[in-house]
Amino acid sequence: MKIVRARDYDDMSRKVANIISAQVILKPDCVLGLATGSTPIGAYRQLAGWNQKGDCDFSQVSTYNLDEYRGLSHDDPQSYHYFMKTNFFDHVNIDQANTHVPDGSNPDADAACKEYDRIVAAAGYPDLQLLGIGNNGHIGFNEPDDHFSKGTHCVNLTESTIQANSRLFDRIEDVPRQAYTMGVQTIMFAKMIVIAANGSAKAQAVHDMCYGPVTPQCPASILQLHDNVVVVADEAALALCPAE
Ligand code: GLP
């Protein structure tokens, strides 16, 4: 794992955006795996700025998001479909037909997850997968468990994740209790993984991901076994890691 130290959120965001931009420049028709959450918003904003200046062309790029809440329609403001449109897709010259997010509006979990696995595999898996990390070490919505998941599946969110994500909802009761998420194995199929983290709430998870045992109790720890992972984190998120 390569650890890139950032001063703060803005610095982390620019560094992540630079890496994604390099990928798009090197392979204009690349496949990007994308993430939601507060962490990548700054990088999306930076990429949109460069796109509008003509510096980063998304016209041939296709994207596959990690996850989606189960039971929300695509235009629900809390859905990850809506998040991606409003935070990124609407601001760059991507063909929206080439953007993909698991279909949380399909109540048939099995069918929705199988179909997502089929299209991600048909795309050849991401050239670059962007990840955030949950306070409990989750990636996508792969929560701590006694085994690593494989393909896309329906998960019951943990109380800690429901609590953490409730800041984006009016009431905690409104947070969906289930989600469809790409599996850990699928995430590991990406050719390169960039995982971003900022803030002290992530410090333990970042430490355990980089220096703890590889265990499904910290799903992100599996990234130690991938040969092309870049961790971009600010000082607060790296506070428990040894200084390099
Ligand atoms: C959610 C998402 C994850 C994300 C995590 C951290 O649970 N499913 O993909 O990494 O939250 O979110 P944030 O970046 O807001 O801390």
Side-chain angles (χ1 to χ4, degrees), residues 34-41 66-69 80 130-135 138-143 157 161 164-165 167-168 179 181 195-198 202:
L34 297 180
T36 52
S38 328
T39 309
I41 290 178
L66 287 164
D67 47 14
E68 176 60 285
Y69 288 117
Y80 287 170
L130 175 62
L131 297 176
I133 183 168
N135 296 348
H138 75 236
I139 47 177
F141 266 133
N142 292 281
E143 298 279 31
L157 302 180
T161 298
N165 290 4
R167 70 188 194 282
L168 306 169
T181 183
I195 180 157
N198 69 287
K202 302 292 173 69

Side-chain angles (χ1 to χ4, degrees), residues 38 69 78 80 135 138 141 157-177:
S38 328
Y69 288 117
Q78 301 293 359
Y80 287 170
N135 296 348
H138 75 236
F141 266 133
L157 302 180
T158 62
E159 273 313 307
S160 125
T161 298
I162 292 166
Q163 189 72 46
N165 290 4
S166 66
R167 70 188 194 282
L168 306 169
F169 291 76
D170 290 340
R171 302 172 314 157
I172 192 161
E173 303 85 76
D174 296 339
V175 184
R177 267 38 187 177

Side-chain angles (χ1 to χ4, degrees), residues 37-244:
S38 328
T39 309
I41 290 178
Y44 292 150
R45 200 169 289 146
Q46 180 68 74
L47 287 168
W50 288 334
N51 178 254
Q52 282 147 26
K53 285 190 197 150
D55 283 344
C56 189
D57 176 17
F58 287 90
S59 61
Q60 298 176 64
V61 170
S62 53
T63 67
Y64 292 82
N65 263 77
L66 287 164
D67 47 14
E68 176 60 285
Y69 288 117
R70 185 182 192 194
L72 299 189
S73 67
H74 297 185
D75 55 4
D76 187 307
Q78 301 293 359
S79 74
Y80 287 170
H81 277 83
Y82 186 89
F83 175 101
M84 288 309 300
K85 256 180 86 55
T86 52
N87 284 293
F88 191 46
F89 300 148
D90 282 351
H91 308 288
V92 294
N93 68 335
I94 199 163
D95 178 350
Q96 300 221 12
N98 294 334
T99 67
H100 309 84
V101 180
D103 186 4
S105 71
N106 184 350
D108 184 341
D110 212 39
C113 294
K114 277 209 178 87
E115 173 59 8
Y116 205 63
D117 278 343
R118 189 189 67 73
I119 62 172
V120 178
Y125 300 104
D127 293 292
L128 184 157
Q129 174 69 57
L130 175 62
L131 297 176
I133 183 168
N135 296 348
N136 61 3
H138 75 236
I139 47 177
F141 266 133
N142 292 281
E143 298 279 31
D145 204 345
D146 57 10
H147 65 285
F148 287 111
S149 61
K150 294 192 165 61
T152 307
H153 58 291
C154 181
V155 287
N156 296 320
L157 302 180
T158 62
E159 273 313 307
S160 125
T161 298
I162 292 166
Q163 189 72 46
N165 290 4
S166 66
R167 70 188 194 282
L168 306 169
F169 291 76
D170 290 340
R171 302 172 314 157
I172 192 161
E173 303 85 76
D174 296 339
V175 184
R177 267 38 187 177
Q178 291 188 311
Y180 299 153
T181 183
M182 227 185 238
V184 169
Q185 184 183 53
T186 311
I187 292 171
M188 291 290 281
F189 284 152
K191 297 171 190 73
M192 178 185 190
I193 295 176
V194 179
I195 180 157
N198 69 287
S200 56
K202 302 292 173 69
Q204 189 66 52
V206 170
H207 170 274
D208 294 352
M209 163 175 73
C210 299
Y211 298 99
V214 175
T215 164
Q217 291 304 323
C218 175
S221 65
I222 191 112
L223 301 179
Q224 291 176 35
L225 304 183
H226 192 287
D227 64 5
N228 194 4
V229 175
V230 183
V231 179
V232 185
D234 74 353
E235 294 300 339
L238 288 170
L240 300 178
C241 294
E244 308 232 330

